[in-house]
Amino acid sequence: MSGLRIAVLGVGMMGAFHVETLSNRIHGAQITVINDFLAEKAEQVATQVAARVVGDPIEAINDPDIDAVLIATPGAAHEAQVNACLDRSIPVLCEKPLTTDVPSAYAIAQKEKAIGKRLVQVGFQRRFDAEYAALKKLITSGDLGNPLMLHCTHRNPAVGDHFTSEFMIRDSVVHEVDVARFLLDEELTSVQVIRGLSTSSAPPGTSDPMLVIFETESGRIVTDEIYVRTQVAYEVRTEVIGEKGSAFIGLDQNLLVKSSDGRWGGQITPNFIERFGAAYQTELQRWVDAARNGTIDGPGSWDGFAAVAVCEAGVQALHSGQKVQVRLDGGLNAPPRPIVGDGGQPDWRLDEDAEPDIHAPDLIGDRP
Ligand code: ISE
């Protein structure tokens, strides 16, 4: 096939960023169709990349001039749009959340399974970040021994008032949900949310920061500090504690300068685009390459569903103050894991060649 012809639905901040990346930094792709509920915005972005505007999102998905779809519309629109892509059996990269409720996300995983082809990828870009990939590789190598705990930190410098505690779980903590599942290779089984003293910049009723605690199938503990109004920087960190050592990612990797007035330091990372720009690019390139071969190469519909299910439990935990068990049967009492293939874990794995070859120093060594 020649270049992958893509329809981009939703060209707000994230969609416009993807359009720019796809058209300037990705090989083998061409944006042919743009859709946005704001016609003027759609026209403006389409003109920049010589694409055509299609006013209705479902018509855009069914346009004969496209081979794949990138969805960056608001979450509430995802269910209908992803389903339309499945109806046409074309690859789709959908920004999180896969859908906004558990049954509809589960139904998508089931539908894809019935089609028998991996078509749905969910935009959990951190899996494509070099540091997360290195951490995953380190855990898998066994150099740290059995990973026992994961400590995550997720701080944004500032957000709008629509970031309620519930929104923080669904829109921000969802990343740590996927990171934990990715790194530990197992499901999260329970969620607890601890609401403490809030920053005075949070609107009334919103707890910011919060501490979210997960348990996994094998009994590991995952903690996540979520704080979205720090007024400082974008800080996303993950530490894994293993039986034979620990590892940490997310320290700003910027230039460190020592100056003659006796200070040293670097620059903060202002936001997630700066922190994860390269990861988005890798994500898109691998999605395009895979889509040209009629598949996907990243977190799939089950990962999208599991994230929705864990966040749903998280929201219940937030409101009840209780530890809430995660239900992975889609609320349907259906058999779990409708995944294309063998019904086990998704069949994509880290691209070994693409990962930095990082190994833990010998943590056992000759120490007493
Ligand atoms: C936002 O939607 C993102 O995806 C960012 O990565 C995250 O840091 C932020 O908290 C979310 O709201």
Side-chain angles (χ1 to χ4, degrees), residues 96 125-126 154 156 163 167 171-172 175 228 234 272 280:
K96 49 87 184 163
Q125 89 287 355
R126 289 194 197 171
H154 185 152
N156 293 69
F163 264 76
F167 195 84
D171 206 65
S172 305
H175 281 292
V228 296
Y234 188 72
F272 64 93
Y280 285 117

Side-chain angles (χ1 to χ4, degrees), residues 327-367:
R327 287 190 63 177
L328 286 180
D329 61 0
L332 304 170
N333 294 319
R337 296 197 182 197
I339 294 178
V340 180
D342 65 4
Q345 283 292 309
D347 55 8
W348 81 282
R349 284 288 173 259
L350 289 173
D351 174 355
E352 290 297 319
D353 297 337
E355 309 310 330
D357 191 21
I358 298 179
H359 280 281
D362 185 358
L363 294 167
I364 305 170
D366 295 328
R367 275 188 282 161

Side-chain angles (χ1 to χ4, degrees), residues 11 20 26 43 61 70 91 141 151 165 167 201 211-212 224 241 243 262 278 282-283 285 314 353:
V11 286
E20 199 276 326
I26 301 298
E43 282 298 345
I61 292 166
L70 191 156
S141 75
H151 291 304
S165 300
F167 195 84
S201 12
L211 183 65
V212 186
D224 185 24
I241 321 294
E243 282 179 326
T282 307
E283 174 190 50
Q285 187 63 66
D353 297 337

Side-chain angles (χ1 to χ4, degrees), residues 277-295:
Y280 285 117
Q281 190 175 330
T282 307
E283 174 190 50
L284 287 181
Q285 187 63 66
R286 281 176 55 179
W287 176 66
V288 165
D289 293 346
R292 292 176 80 188
N293 290 316
T295 186

Side-chain angles (χ1 to χ4, degrees), residues 4-51:
L4 186 78
R5 298 168 305 164
I6 301 171
V8 178
L9 313 187
V11 286
M13 184 191 65
M14 208 57 232
F17 177 74
H18 284 321
V19 166
E20 199 276 326
T21 308
L22 277 170
S23 38
N24 295 322
R25 276 177 276 278
I26 301 298
H27 308 289
Q30 187 198 353
I31 300 171
T32 47
V33 167
I34 295 279
N35 161 269
D36 195 279
F37 77 101
L38 295 175
E40 208 177 308
K41 181 75 189 164
E43 282 298 345
Q44 181 206 334
V45 174
T47 308
Q48 285 163 10
V49 296

